[in-house]
Amino acid sequence: MTPHYTGSTLADQKHEEHEMEASVGADLAGARLDQALAALFPDYSRSRLQAWTREGRVSVNGEQRRPRDKVALGDTLRVRALIEDQVACEPQDIPLHMVYEDEHILVIDKAANLVVHPAAGNPDGTIQNALLFHDPNLIELPRAGIVHRLDKDTTGLMVIAKSQAAHKRLVDAIAAREIKREYRALVIGSMPAGGTIDMPIGRHPTQRTRMAVNPMGKPSVTHFRVLEHFRGHTLLKVMLETGRTHQIRVHMAHLRHPIFGDPVYGGRLHLPGGASQDLKGVMRGFKRQALHAKRLELAHPVSGRRMRFSCAIPADMRAVIDALAVDANIHWTDPDYEDYAGFDEFEGFDEHGDDET
């Protein structure tokens, strides 16, 4: 049976309550209540449905049950879904570079010096504030629909959920490693070839604001390929299999090839021997990690349509690469020209995003 939705706004409590109802079919007879709820109301996570059950917001034939209780054929399940406003984050008119938008998702090209969501030291001026200004309805979603993050000074593509259905399915897709993310990284030193880094990442044992390769950390896998060698630096294509905090930055630093400009893991400035004054000026003027999320591939969370998004390397990072290319007498171009950012539909996913078309 298709769930039936009704709604009433409780403005004085800063949230909305939606009543939903569905009947147990033969395929779910004998299942646990939480399993039946997850199957009948797929727009909501199992943990959220379990919480509502414990709070008395779920009934079976008008009676409250525990998440582990079994349901029977024909049972009527009612859920009073509580969608809380994210009132701690206020809308702010902050420009966002929109790459794509429909009723379920939004894809942006994130600029440098922009934090994703409020946290200690950054109470506002974030992408989350900007999203709430762009679409006030996003207040109904956790963190205004943000499902993954980029560091403050990392640029590039992010996908945002605009509906409950899209939010849950994007979170599930990220957990299942079904969303492919491809980066460009300029690293210090000459890396002879590409490879895979499979090393767990966790908190640094003594510097708690940093991450580090740590045997007690979470599994973390990064694939990389050399795109261009310069004098003393290498341009990489990097593909994430997992998405840990600072993953690319930590993995590259562990290999002793940190991201150029990284203020946390990069160490001192490295200049090629005999560098011109122009090259020195460009490199000294770059004050962030040279890391850009260039490509994003996913199946649309509602329609299932396969989509590939791409965006150009930002001007400041491209200026460094251009200067290094001139220094090394190498012709280098970004396949996505300066003012292009967009998406195209395609038949299948490229393994690790290896196709440059």
Side-chain angles (χ1 to χ4, degrees):
M1 174 181 176
T2 302
H4 174 69
Y5 298 82
T6 61
S8 61
T9 300
L10 305 177
D12 58 325
Q13 297 183 42
K14 298 292 185 183
H15 59 227
E16 284 189 354
E17 186 174 279
H18 298 279
E19 291 187 2
M20 305 180 293
E21 179 180 307
S23 296
V24 176
D27 57 330
L28 293 173
R32 287 170 51 118
L33 173 58
D34 56 358
Q35 293 172 332
L37 289 169
L40 292 170
F41 306 105
D43 289 355
Y44 300 93
S45 68
R46 186 168 174 176
S47 61
R48 179 176 288 193
L49 291 165
Q50 288 175 331
W52 286 336
T53 303
R54 296 188 184 97
E55 293 168 3
R57 294 187 164 276
V58 174
S59 66
V60 180
N61 302 325
E63 298 179 353
Q64 293 186 10
R65 301 280 183 86
R66 297 169 299 180
R68 67 173 180 268
D69 290 341
K70 301 297 179 62
V71 295
L73 178 65
D75 279 351
T76 298
L77 309 187
R78 289 189 177 89
V79 179
R80 291 185 296 116
L82 185 66
I83 312 301
E84 297 181 357
D85 286 357
Q86 307 300 305
V87 295
C89 185
E90 297 294 331
Q92 290 180 300
D93 187 4
I94 301 169
L96 291 174
H97 185 182
M98 309 291 182
V99 176
Y100 174 85
E101 184 173 17
D102 62 28
E103 63 180 316
H104 294 290
I105 66 170
L106 168 66
V107 176
I108 65 171
D109 181 0
K110 176 189 169 300
N113 195 34
L114 189 57
V115 175
V116 171
H117 56 74
N122 295 285
D124 55 17
T126 70
I127 287 177
Q128 186 173 341
N129 298 101
L131 289 170
L132 291 173
F133 183 89
H134 172 72
D135 184 353
N137 292 324
L138 291 176
I139 199 169
E140 296 184 353
L141 298 176
R143 287 185 170 171
I146 294 168
V147 295
H148 67 117
R149 294 178 291 177
L150 293 176
D151 295 333
K152 176 181 178 180
D153 283 325
T154 297
T155 56
L157 296 171
M158 291 180 61
V159 60
I160 313 293
K162 292 183 61 182
S163 66
Q164 291 284 354
H167 187 273
K168 179 183 183 300
R169 291 165 193 168
L170 286 173
V171 169
D172 290 346
I174 290 171
R177 303 179 183 179
E178 295 170 352
I179 295 180
K180 296 188 181 297
R181 292 165 285 174
E182 180 185 313
Y183 293 71
R184 293 295 180 269
L186 182 66
V187 301
I188 296 171
S190 179
M191 301 190 74
T196 294
I197 309 168
D198 186 354
M199 297 179 177
I201 291 176
R203 288 288 172 189
H204 192 283
T206 60
Q207 302 177 52
R208 303 304 293 170
T209 59
R210 296 174 54 144
M211 308 300 288
V213 169
N214 185 330
M216 302 302 292
K218 295 180 180 179
S220 307
V221 181
T222 303
H223 307 278
F224 65 96
R225 171 183 293 182
V226 172
L227 292 180
E228 201 68 73
H229 285 109
F230 306 114
R231 291 200 309 125
H233 295 79
T234 307
L235 181 63
L236 301 178
K237 173 194 293 187
V238 183
M239 291 73 68
L240 286 182
E241 188 170 314
T242 55
R244 310 303 178 202
T245 300
H246 298 177
Q247 178 172 319
I248 297 173
R249 299 164 66 189
V250 170
H251 271 167
M252 292 303 162
H254 188 77
L255 295 187
R256 299 178 184 251
H257 291 285
I259 305 292
F260 172 73
D262 193 328
V264 177
Y265 305 100
R268 63 180 179 83
L269 176 66
H270 290 256
L271 295 170
S276 68
Q277 291 302 312
D278 287 345
L279 177 58
K280 290 179 181 178
V282 171
M283 298 185 75
R284 285 172 176 158
F286 190 80
K287 302 296 186 181
R288 65 178 182 88
Q289 63 266 14
L291 183 61
H292 175 65
K294 184 173 179 60
R295 179 176 290 179
L296 185 68
E297 297 181 6
L298 68 151
H300 191 281
V302 176
S303 71
R305 178 176 58 168
R306 292 182 173 181
M307 309 175 82
R308 173 168 53 200
F309 301 89
S310 58
C311 64
I313 294 173
D316 63 340
M317 179 174 167
R318 194 165 61 250
V320 175
I321 299 172
D322 286 343
L324 286 168
V326 169
D327 173 77
N329 196 26
I330 292 172
H331 176 70
W332 173 87
T333 58
D334 179 7
D336 295 311
Y337 54 84
E338 182 175 354
D339 59 353
Y340 174 80
F343 86 98
D344 57 279
E345 300 177 68
F346 62 111
E347 295 301 318
F349 290 116
D350 302 322
E351 183 65 20
H352 305 315
D354 287 342
D355 180 11
E356 278 295 337
T357 59

